[in-house]
Amino acid sequence: MLAYVPNYPHLIQQRRVWFVRIVVPADVRGMLNKSIYKVTTKETDIHRAVLVAAPIIAAIKQTIADARAGAAPPVEMRAEALAARFRELSGPDAERFKLDEVVKFVLRETGRELHAYAAELLPQNHVAFPNEDTHVARRVRIITGKATPFLEHLEPWKAAVTVSPKTRDEYESAIREFAARVARPIEDLTQADVQYWVDGLFSADEDDSLDAKTVNKKLSGLRNYWGYMSLRGAVERGRKIFNELDVRNRTGHVSIKLARYLPKDVVRLWRAAETGGNEPLANMIKIAAYTGGRREGIACLKVSDIKVDPDTGVRFMHTTGKTDAGDRDVPIHAALAPLIDRLVERPDADGYLIPSEADNQYGIRGTLLGKDFSLLKSRLGFGEEHNFHSIRRTVTHMLETAECPEGVAKDIIGHKKLDITFGLYSGLTPIDQRAKWLEKAIVYAT
């Protein structure tokens, strides 16, 4: 079992000893002949380990920076640059380009001498390029316009894709990773190529091997990109090479199944946060405990999200989620009302109920509090099967135990109704019904 400390992302604990672990970026792995640096600090105490680790981390990062500084442009970049120049030419200029730049490219990548290559060409009186299925032959086809690089449509796709910035960047990373590993033009790609790549993700060494959930997330990005190209005629309709793959955890992999907290454990969590002086975290846990809200949805609550239903007088909070169903109006539980009143009276400068010092490119406010929560729950003895989302599971279980109607529970939790009758025709349940069931089901012994 590996242990991680969120505040020290390059440290892991294995059999009580702390190690420095740094993943080598893909662009310099070939030069360093290494995918991961893993160095022991020989320390079991985290504070001493941090001191020992600092110079190790600095040295590894400098090694990576030195390798990157001395790296030649990747072959894909050289091929794409030549392809862009070739597309601007026609007639004699294009032929001269082949004789000059493309021949140089072939010689460089095959390690052949010019005089030997010329001797082969003289009897034929024309330029001959490799026609076998090699990486050089495929890139020559790309340069001369006879094949399409996999990343050809990446930039317009990025401008058109309708997902969150964070998801878009994760998708782009998977697309680039696939393109670099498989290195085939669009016309040549097959489902077997994709399966080969997937198998490699599962069969990597212990530190690099991925689970099925992570692999499927990468494939989601690739399917999105492939679908974009299909709709625009860049690939044949019906050619779905990223579907029907074997994406199962391999033998020996142990999946972590998330569990719910007991109601008494939720109380322990918020009290421990209060005792530790982390009031924002304690408030976030309490709101989750009485709403089943997601971490980021709670972190983004503003004074303007606290409203009153004009027909019933029910006070509620409007929270946003990852899906349309996640955008929901949750009645404010009587036990939660005093806290909401206090937070409404003293929001932060931007009107948020939960202050956050998070500073990241995606504007995600709950990141640092999420790290604080991970440390808190670990100190209380909870393992990888429990996280902040487990509180949401607790609330769902309490609603089910109280025999709350499923449609009401889904409207409270923010889950989509999939059946036609309740999903398509019913709409939302009355907010006073949601309030009634929340009061009945969500009760903590404090």
Side-chain angles (χ1 to χ4, degrees), residues 159-176:
V161 66
T162 55
V163 295
S164 70
K166 183 173 184 290
T167 300
R168 181 200 61 212
D169 289 352
E170 289 172 346
Y171 281 2
E172 181 185 357
S173 177
I175 293 165
R176 289 188 180 277

Side-chain angles (χ1 to χ4, degrees), residues 251-290:
T251 302
H253 176 86
V254 179
S255 296
I256 302 298
K257 185 176 181 180
L258 290 179
R260 58 181 171 84
Y261 297 105
L262 296 174
K264 65 179 182 179
D265 292 329
V266 177
V267 177
R268 283 178 62 211
L269 286 164
W270 84 53
R271 283 183 172 167
E274 289 174 337
T275 302
N278 195 334
E279 184 182 0
L281 179 59
N283 293 340
M284 180 178 278
I285 295 171
K286 288 178 185 177
I287 294 174
Y290 286 101

Side-chain angles (χ1 to χ4, degrees), residues 121-148:
L121 300 184
L122 285 175
Q124 304 174 52
N125 199 30
H126 71 281
V127 178
F129 295 117
N131 55 16
E132 66 272 18
D133 186 21
T134 66
H135 76 284
V136 177
R138 289 194 292 272
R139 290 185 178 102
V140 167
R141 287 176 56 220
I142 287 173
I143 293 169
T144 55
K146 294 182 171 60
T148 311

